[in-house]
Amino acid sequence: MRSPTDAPENESRPSRREARRRQTRAEIIAAAWLLVRERGLAGLALRDLGGAVGMKAQSLYSYFESKADIYDAMFHEGYLAFAATIDELMAEIERDQPPGAEVLRRIAHGFFDFCTSDPVRYQLLFQRTIPDFVPSDESYGVAVASYEQFTEQMAAFGLTDPEVVDVWTALLTGLTDQQISNDPGGDRWARVIDQATDMFLAAYAPDLLDTTT
Amino acid sequence: MRSPTDAPENESRPSRREARRRQTRAEIIAAAWLLVRERGLAGLALRDLGGAVGMKAQSLYSYFESKADIYDAMFHEGYLAFAATIDELMAEIERDQPPGAEVLRRIAHGFFDFCTSDPVRYQLLFQRTIPDFVPSDESYGVAVASYEQFTEQMAAFGLTDPEVVDVWTALLTGLTDQQISNDPGGDRWARVIDQATDMFLAAYAPDLLDTTT
DNA sequence: GTCTATAATCTGATAGAC
DNA sequence: GTCTATCAGATTATAGAC
């Protein structure tokens, strides 16, 4: 099964074959994102995807078990990107201790921009609209970890009540959703993020709100 | 073309043939809703739909020009139901003059319940997730009229600033969206509607908020 | 208005040669 | 790992008999 030049799987440095395989997988996923942005999430066809990376559709099965497996890889990658975005925003919080209203506003913009910059990704990650797709345990784990990171963010502002966190997530996804659905490419709800954040702060953390402005 | 028993088309009373045709169309649409709730919005197959009403798929073309035409009829019917819901809530406002916080809370619950009671309908009406479907001018008109009715509702509370209305719609759709996506069938975000409404009122119409509770 | 027949096309997936 | 060949099925839609 394993050629002499291959390193054992549990070693940190992957074999050259493994490395190339990974790269090809990444290429395929990248091409899938492009296609999906053009023809919609459900419109992904393996024929087109194969063509986009210069191989026949059947050859994709050397890299992925099924079409659902491809969606899962996209889901996984999407949540890694989401986690990275949260990390960046987390760094902003730590830079500004104790965190004030301006940081929460930037967090709101960060989430909003992440979502609206790629509506199809938003659809895959946050909505349950693609039929019969259930993320694998591993991918789901990344998703759960992201959410926990998110609640940690809120805790940094002293907001630990789960119901308050739910109001905050509802507010953020609502702004995002309206932007994507009713003003795609525009900024109608982007313009309203700051005052929505202040509305939230006024109700749940009024002491963080600078009353001078 | 027209049998002697048929009334002219422009008369208010439709001919018996027209009446039956309409009824069959309504039956087809009703069956389509059932199917779509089971297999997803994009999973609607004309074969199944024909079977569900006891005819071959091809015969559906006597009632609808295309599959998109069927989606359009569903979209139309969905917005009529939405308009009816708004009307009911509007009646509540008029019953309680001047309208107070409790009425706005009931409006929020009304919208929330309308959406979450039928997630597929919500997807068709309020999200742009079904590929290549563009509502006809007539159906779109019903949708626009509903939105105008909605803004009138807000005006009854003295809330006329378009940006404030946008914050309100974001809040409502956010609660709805989170409920559908992250706790389908549950009540996690339903439980938080009242405090979210009060948060909104405190920021934009504090005088409506009863401070006793 | 409903049917049969069929067109024309797309789909994901497998077997096996090389 | 990539290919050819092919399966087995789905899809919407049209033509024409009755």
Side-chain angles (χ1 to χ4, degrees), chain A residues 16 34 37 78 82 142 144-145 159 164 172 174 184 188 191 193 206:
Chain A
R16 301 182 79 84
L34 289 177
R37 275 178 211 127
F82 182 57
V142 181
V144 171
L159 299 166
V164 173
L172 282 188
R188 180 165 157 192
R191 276 184 279 128
I193 292 175

Side-chain angles (χ1 to χ4, degrees), chain A residues 2-213:
Chain A
R2 187 191 298 154
S3 90
T5 56
D6 281 343
E9 287 180 10
N10 58 349
E11 213 165 286
S12 58
R13 180 87 167 283
S15 71
R16 301 182 79 84
R17 174 176 296 170
E18 249 312 286
R20 213 172 51 194
R21 186 187 154 81
R22 263 177 227 226
Q23 203 197 332
T24 307
R25 267 182 68 107
E27 263 178 58
I28 291 169
I29 295 301
W33 281 117
L34 289 177
L35 284 174
V36 124
R37 275 178 211 127
E38 274 182 8
R39 334 235 313 205
L41 200 51
L44 180 63
L46 297 191
R47 265 175 165 69
D48 301 344
L49 181 54
V53 294
M55 60 173 75
K56 292 287 175 179
Q58 299 90 316
S59 303
L60 297 171
Y61 286 87
S62 299
Y63 298 95
F64 297 95
E65 286 183 359
S66 64
K67 191 185 181 183
D69 195 25
I70 295 177
Y71 278 126
D72 191 60
M74 297 169 77
F75 182 89
H76 187 95
E77 188 185 282
Y79 262 106
L80 288 181
F82 182 57
T85 299
I86 294 185
D87 272 341
E88 282 176 35
L89 297 169
M90 205 72 143
E92 283 212 49
I93 295 179
E94 276 150 21
R95 217 173 293 138
D96 183 41
Q97 283 293 348
E102 188 50 33
V103 180
L104 193 63
R105 288 190 205 109
R106 274 209 291 274
I107 287 177
H109 281 279
F111 178 84
F112 184 92
D113 291 346
F114 176 84
C115 293
T116 55
S117 69
D118 196 341
V120 184
R121 182 176 59 187
Y122 176 75
Q123 199 186 338
L124 178 61
L125 299 192
F126 302 118
Q127 295 177 328
R128 285 271 167 279
T129 176
I130 165 105
D132 302 328
F133 167 63
V134 180
S136 64
D137 288 346
E138 193 198 341
S139 298
Y140 190 69
V142 181
V144 171
S146 295
Y147 182 74
E148 280 166 9
Q149 233 177 335
F150 189 84
T151 59
E152 274 179 49
Q153 257 186 9
M154 297 305 288
F157 290 90
L159 299 166
T160 52
D161 182 344
E163 292 203 342
V164 173
V165 176
D166 284 348
V167 170
W168 177 241
T169 59
L171 188 58
L172 282 188
T173 59
L175 291 163
T176 301
D177 225 72
Q178 287 289 90
Q179 185 61 57
I180 289 174
S181 297
N182 295 325
D183 184 35
D187 71 339
R188 180 165 157 192
W189 276 270
R191 276 184 279 128
V192 105
I193 292 175
D194 286 342
Q195 65 171 289
T197 303
D198 290 351
M199 166 185 77
F200 175 79
L201 281 172
Y204 297 111
D207 46 307
L208 296 185
L209 212 54
D210 34 87
T211 48
T212 50
T213 29

